[in-house]
């Protein structure tokens, strides 16, 4: 048997890669309107960046990290020697931790500076059990705003996220935006204790995993997929009943700004999100169409303590990440999937071996004039080339024949109406451009 793509990875074929690329371009266009600048950080980082940034007790760090070893590190391991911290590397499971590390390393947000805004795009890697909408390598776009503590920053990020989804073609009505506040260092510890006590009190009825988590990460019990756990956790204490005054005010202001912007949302006091670093506002967007149990297309929140984890000064921040493959599944289910390779404008056909060189150089001229052009390299018959031209989706074909060439001309064929016209070779680029412009008007 030949090689297969690794489990949980996908070859993006037949327009899928292009569709993802279109979403990235939508992200670029939408996020630029909000002042976001593109950032790239490495695909792998020191393992501790993720342990610090995401949290040891999270599933992502505890169970889903792909480790990276250099040959020297592997040799050391083979000899039973321990690796140094900077030899322990992992593929990024998300990019917020990498961006936070970069911001601290390069001191991009000195105290008192204007907020900086970054967006990113790229592959993330998580060793999860693959299923529909859950891959081991998947693509995200995301955004991070660092330096602004005010509720308007939260509202702006959420509005931008919704505008991005709409720009990708997901109708507003198909999306559910959930918001919650997770409190901060002042009010969350007491809340965690209450949830822990609740789990202990219901230990006989909850699954072993939820009980085990009571000590390390009790809030994760809200995310358990088991229906019995969900039913029990529905009666657990609610964070929104325990927010300190500052957090409650912040949350109320965020909601007020979303109301003003006409953004529909539902409050969900059980939305805790899997990563440790969130404080105050958290949000998630879910869609049913095309997705099974993995129905979150994006989410994020505020992480005011994160930069300190990397040795930075206290710096407020917030952001979100969006899964592009899941958007693609949604668009396909909604029938608005525009996945297609870029449209071809022209197909250049040669009537025989004697005109192939002229056809080749004409194709280069058309491409240099920014016209997407294709031609046959395999010496196929004219009939087969024209069949290919029809299949290719090109608007026009240019037929390079020896008789016409002798008089310095070619035939331009409209592939929709099949009308043909003789055009002087010198003028062919202009003639084609004129027809394509007529199409648009
Ligand atoms: P998270 O960092 O877990 O909040 O993920 C942000 C978004 O990335 C989710 O809402 C999904 O759309 C997407 N995502 C997360 N994990 C996966 C995965 N294993 N496969 C595909 N998409 C994912």
């Amino acid at each position: 048997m030949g090689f297969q793509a690794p489990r949980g990875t996908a070859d993006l074929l037949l327009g899928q890669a292009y569709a993802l690329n279109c979403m990235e371009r939508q992200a670029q266009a939408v996020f630029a309107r909000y002042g976001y600048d593109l950032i790239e950080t490495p695909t792998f980082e020191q393992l501790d960046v993720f342990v610090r940034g995401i949290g040891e007790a999270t599933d992502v760090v505890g169970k889903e990290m792909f480790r990276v070893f250099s040959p020297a590190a592997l040799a050391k391991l083979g000899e039973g020697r321990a690796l140094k911290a900077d030899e322990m590397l992992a593929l990024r499971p998300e990019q917020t931790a990498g961006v936070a590390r970069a911001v601290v390393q390069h001191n991009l947000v000195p105290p008192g500076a204007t907020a900086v805004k970054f967006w990113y795009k790229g592959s993330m890697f998580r060793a999860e059990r693959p299923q529909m909408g859950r891959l081991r390598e998947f693509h995200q776009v995301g955004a991070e705003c660092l330096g602004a503590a005010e509720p308007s920053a939260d509202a702006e990020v959420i509005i931008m996220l919704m505008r991005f989804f709409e720009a990708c073609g997901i109708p507003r009505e198909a999306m559910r935006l959930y918001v919650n506040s997770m409190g901060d260092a002042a009010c969350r510890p007491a809340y965690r204790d209450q949830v822990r006590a609740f789990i202990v009190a219901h230990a006989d009825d909850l699954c072993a995993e939820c009980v085990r988590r009571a000590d390390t990460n009790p809030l994760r019990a809200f995310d358990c997929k088991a229906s019995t756990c969900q039913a029990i956790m529905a009666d657990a204490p609610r964070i929104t009943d325990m927010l300190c005054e500052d957090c409650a005010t912040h949350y109320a202001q965020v909601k007020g700004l979303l109301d003003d912007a006409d953004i529909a949302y539902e409050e969900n006091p059980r939305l805790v999100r899997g990563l440790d670093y969130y404080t105050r506002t958290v949000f998630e967007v879910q869609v049913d169409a095309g997705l099974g149990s993995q129905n979150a297309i994006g989410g994020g929140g505020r992480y005011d303590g994160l930069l300190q984890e990397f040795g930075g000064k206290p710096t407020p921040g917030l952001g979100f990440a969006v899964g592009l493959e899941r958007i693609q599944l949604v668009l396909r289910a909604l029938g608005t999937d525009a996945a297609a390779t870029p449209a071809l404008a022209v197909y250049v056909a040669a009537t025989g071996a004697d005109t192939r060189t002229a056809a080749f150089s004409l194709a280069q001229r058309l491409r240099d004039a920014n016209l997407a052009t294709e031609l046959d390299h395999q010496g196929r018959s004219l009939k087969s080339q024209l069949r290919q031209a029809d299949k290719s989706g090109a608007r026009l074909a240019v037929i390079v024949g020896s008789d016409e060439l002798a008089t310095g001309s070619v035939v331009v064929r409209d592939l929709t109406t099949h009308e043909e016209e003789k055009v002087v070779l010198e003028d062919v680029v202009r003639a084609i451009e004129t027809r394509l412009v007529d199409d648009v008007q």
Side-chain angles (χ1 to χ4, degrees):
M1 196 180 68
F3 290 115
Q4 307 267 322
R7 204 163 98 84
T9 68
D11 296 312
L12 301 175
L13 308 171
L14 302 172
Q16 288 175 324
Y18 183 68
L20 250 60
N21 182 257
C22 287
M23 291 182 214
E24 290 173 354
R25 280 185 284 133
Q26 289 292 358
Q28 165 112 51
V30 174
F31 300 167
R33 296 207 296 266
Y34 294 77
Y36 281 75
D37 192 13
L38 184 62
I39 187 172
E40 297 260 1
T41 61
T43 313
F44 59 91
E45 297 266 357
Q46 206 173 305
L47 179 72
D48 282 343
V49 167
F50 305 119
V51 175
R52 272 291 162 83
I54 303 173
E56 192 129 38
T58 58
D59 283 353
V60 169
V61 168
K63 302 184 192 161
E64 299 168 2
M65 301 280 277
F66 280 104
R67 303 282 297 269
V68 177
F69 297 99
S70 71
L74 274 180
K76 252 177 137 174
L77 285 178
E79 290 161 14
R81 291 194 286 147
L83 297 183
K84 289 197 274 195
D86 64 359
E87 292 171 312
M88 290 197 279
L89 305 169
L91 292 179
R92 62 185 182 198
E94 52 100 74
Q95 209 167 327
T96 303
V99 171
R101 191 266 312 137
V103 165
V104 172
Q105 181 179 335
H106 305 288
N107 192 24
L108 299 179
V109 194
T114 314
V116 296
K117 297 171 169 184
F118 294 116
W119 77 279
Y120 60 80
K121 58 185 170 65
S123 287
M124 309 298 152
F125 307 86
R126 295 184 194 177
E128 297 187 270
R129 194 172 52 77
Q131 63 181 82
M132 187 177 64
R134 193 159 76 187
L135 293 153
R136 292 183 153 194
E137 178 180 10
F138 57 99
H139 295 81
Q140 285 187 337
V141 300
E144 316 290 352
C145 170
L146 297 142
E150 294 68 21
S152 56
D154 307 45
E156 182 181 87
V157 156
I158 295 173
I159 294 167
M160 180 171 93
L161 173 66
M162 300 312 282
R163 293 291 180 256
F164 167 68
F165 286 135
E166 287 164 21
C168 287
I170 307 179
R172 273 181 194 212
E173 324 76 74
M175 297 185 270
R176 282 188 308 278
L177 165 64
Y178 289 116
V179 298
N180 190 24
S181 173
M182 291 183 66
D184 63 5
C187 52
R188 190 153 71 190
Y191 176 65
R192 276 168 73 115
D193 287 347
Q194 282 210 6
V195 175
R196 184 174 296 125
F198 181 89
I199 293 175
V200 170
H202 293 80
D204 289 347
D205 303 316
L206 290 165
C207 74
E209 183 74 2
C210 285
V211 176
R212 192 184 58 73
R213 278 185 183 137
D215 283 333
T216 52
N217 199 354
L219 302 191
R220 290 288 280 138
F222 286 111
D223 284 343
C224 184
K225 295 278 180 221
S227 53
T228 42
C229 294
Q230 284 180 2
I232 292 167
M233 292 308 290
D235 294 327
R238 295 170 166 232
I239 177 77
T240 32
D241 296 332
M242 294 189 61
L243 292 176
C244 61
E245 202 180 323
D246 284 351
C247 285
T249 309
H250 185 98
Y251 187 38
Q253 288 178 345
V254 173
K255 287 184 290 178
L257 290 164
L258 293 178
D259 291 334
D260 291 348
D262 215 10
I263 298 285
Y265 60 87
E266 279 175 50
E267 288 184 67
N268 180 355
R270 279 174 290 281
L271 176 67
V272 292
R273 310 233 348 113
L275 314 181
D276 264 3
Y277 50 56
Y278 290 114
T279 51
R280 293 195 168 166
T281 315
V282 287
F283 48 91
E284 187 164 284
V285 180
Q286 297 181 2
V287 178
D288 290 329
L291 300 174
S293 58
Q294 304 302 316
N295 62 353
I297 53 173
R302 180 168 276 287
Y303 45 74
D304 291 345
L306 181 62
L307 265 59
Q308 276 166 283
E309 290 292 330
F310 294 106
K313 303 256 171 5
T315 310
L318 78 162
F320 62 71
V322 165
L324 299 187
E325 283 85 355
R326 289 200 194 163
I327 300 185
Q328 216 168 5
L329 289 172
V330 169
L331 293 178
R332 205 170 299 153
L334 293 173
T336 49
D337 181 16
T341 34
L344 205 60
V346 190
Y347 193 99
V348 178
T351 55
D354 54 340
T355 60
R356 216 168 285 141
T357 308
F360 181 82
S361 67
L362 175 59
Q364 310 319 314
R365 257 178 75 202
L366 294 169
R367 288 165 174 162
D368 288 343
N370 282 330
L371 294 165
T373 304
E374 189 50 293
L375 85 164
D376 167 58
H377 290 285
Q378 294 156 292
R380 290 172 198 270
S381 68
L382 179 63
K383 198 167 154 201
S384 146
Q385 288 176 70
L386 289 177
R387 209 178 304 128
Q388 200 57 41
D390 278 328
K391 257 176 56 187
S392 74
R395 256 300 277 122
L396 303 166
V398 180
I399 302 166
V400 186
S402 45
D403 290 352
E404 288 82 7
L405 211 53
T407 62
S409 55
V410 290
V411 171
V412 173
R413 178 182 166 100
D414 187 311
L415 288 169
T416 316
T417 63
H418 292 164
E419 278 167 24
E420 292 189 350
E421 192 192 349
K422 217 172 173 182
V423 174
V424 178
L425 194 51
E426 303 273 279
D427 291 341
V428 73
V429 170
R430 198 150 34 93
I432 286 176
E433 281 171 347
T434 311
R435 279 159 193 265
L436 294 174
V437 170
D438 283 350
D439 270 4
V440 176
Q441 284 164 354

